[in-house]
Amino acid sequence: MTTAGATASDSPYIKGRNARLYGKQRESCPYPDGSEDREGWLEGYDGASTPEAEIDLGTVDDLTKR
């Protein structure tokens, strides 16, 4: 498998997160049991349910930490 031309949205993690955000079931993971892709997809899916998943922590400086 080649990753040439792949984008972040192609990653299993992002696909899992998007699946959760679009209302798909956890059981709809398309990757085989025991695979790294399945693990990444499930991490993305499960992470999308946390409040932190809705906050873009990388775009705003926390001035209280300076």
Side-chain angles (χ1 to χ4, degrees):
M1 182 168 93
T2 180
T3 57
T7 65
S9 62
D10 293 330
S11 77
Y13 181 88
I14 297 298
K15 288 180 178 182
R17 180 188 62 101
N18 289 344
R20 175 71 176 247
L21 296 175
Y22 288 106
K24 297 200 177 207
Q25 297 297 313
R26 194 173 194 273
E27 295 77 25
S28 70
C29 178
Y31 300 105
D33 286 337
S35 70
E36 286 183 34
D37 286 343
R38 183 178 184 87
E39 185 177 323
W41 192 96
L42 293 173
E43 285 178 13
Y45 186 92
D46 293 340
S49 66
T50 64
E52 294 81 23
E54 297 179 17
I55 300 171
D56 187 359
L57 299 174
T59 60
V60 179
D61 289 336
D62 186 352
L63 299 176
T64 62
K65 293 183 180 180
R66 290 185 180 187

